[in-house]
Amino acid sequence: MDLISELGALAFGSRLKRMSETVMRGGEEVYRYYGIDFQPKWFPLFYYLAQKGEAGIMEIAEGLHVTHPAVIQNAKELEKKGLIVSTKSTEDARKRNLTLSEKGKELLPQLQTIWQQIKAMNSELIDTREHNILIALKEIEDVWEEKSFIERFKTFH
C-alpha cells in the first residue's frame, strides 16, 4: 500500500517532498561516490555564487526564490565547511555578502563535472517520460505566482 500515492491531489505536497528526498539522497550518494563532502541542499546557493561571484543574502533569496532564513542556514553550513566566505557589505555594514572561498573555487571544477553528469542523467530520465515534469512544475509555480496557495484555498470554501 502506498497511502501518499493513493491520496492523490490531497497529498500533492507530501508526494513532491518524497520525490525531493529521493533525488537528494541520490545526490548525496553521487558526491560520496566521488569522495566529496558536499550536500545537494547546498547546490543552489553554491552554484549561484559560482555564477555571480559575490552576492548579498537578500539578492540570493530573491534570485533563488527561497526564504532569507533558508539562505542563511545553508550559508552557515557552507561557511563551516570552508566553501564560502561571508563578509560585511562595503555599502551597508548591516548586510552580509557571500563569495566562494579559495577551497570552494578549487572544488568548483570537480563539482561542475558532476553536475554535467547529473544533468545528462536527469535530462534522459525526464525527456523519455510521457509527461515532462519540469514543464508541469513550471505551470504550477506560475499559477501560484499569480495567486498564492492560501488565496486559492480561500476561494474554495
Side-chain angles (χ1 to χ4, degrees), residues 19-20 24 53-54 62 66 76 92 100 114 124 143 151:
M19 181 180 285
S20 175
M24 293 300 212
E54 181 175 334
E62 290 171 10
V66 297
K76 284 181 181 177
D92 185 344
L100 295 183
I114 293 169
E124 189 275 332
V143 166
E151 290 171 325

Side-chain angles (χ1 to χ4, degrees), residues 5-154:
S5 292
E6 288 176 17
L7 290 172
L10 176 59
F12 177 62
S14 297
R15 189 117 181 233
L16 287 174
K17 183 170 178 19
R18 182 172 72 180
M19 181 180 285
S20 175
E21 289 170 351
T22 299
V23 172
M24 293 300 212
R25 263 193 317 274
E28 288 173 9
E29 291 169 356
V30 168
Y31 293 124
R32 246 192 327 270
Y33 175 80
Y34 282 100
I36 296 173
D37 186 14
F38 194 83
Q39 294 292 316
K41 67 181 179 177
W42 300 335
F43 165 76
L45 174 55
F46 192 89
Y47 188 91
Y48 189 93
L49 293 174
Q51 298 300 306
K52 298 284 185 180
E54 181 175 334
I57 302 288
M58 290 305 292
E59 175 190 340
I60 295 166
E62 290 171 10
L64 296 176
H65 296 267
V66 297
T67 65
H68 180 262
V71 174
I72 291 172
Q73 179 184 351
N74 284 324
K76 284 181 181 177
E77 292 175 16
L78 282 164
E79 193 169 15
K80 188 175 180 180
K81 290 290 181 185
L83 297 174
I84 68 168
V85 177
S86 172
T87 56
K88 284 187 179 179
S89 168
T90 55
E91 299 164 4
D92 185 344
R94 297 170 296 168
K95 295 182 180 179
R96 309 285 300 163
N97 286 337
L98 306 177
T99 56
L100 295 183
S101 66
E102 285 306 312
K103 181 179 175 182
K105 290 175 186 173
E106 289 172 11
L107 183 60
L108 183 59
Q110 193 174 4
L111 288 174
Q112 288 171 322
T113 299
I114 293 169
W115 296 338
Q116 288 171 354
Q117 294 169 352
I118 290 172
K119 181 179 180 181
M121 181 196 67
N122 284 343
S123 293
E124 189 275 332
L125 173 72
I126 292 165
D127 295 344
T128 58
R129 302 303 107 186
E130 182 179 351
H131 303 286
N132 186 311
I133 192 168
L134 296 179
I135 293 169
L137 286 172
K138 175 73 171 118
E139 289 173 352
I140 292 171
E141 288 170 337
D142 289 347
V143 166
W144 281 334
E145 190 72 26
E146 294 168 13
K147 191 185 230 183
S148 74
F149 188 94
I150 190 65
E151 290 171 325
R152 246 172 225 296
F153 177 78
K154 287 177 182 178

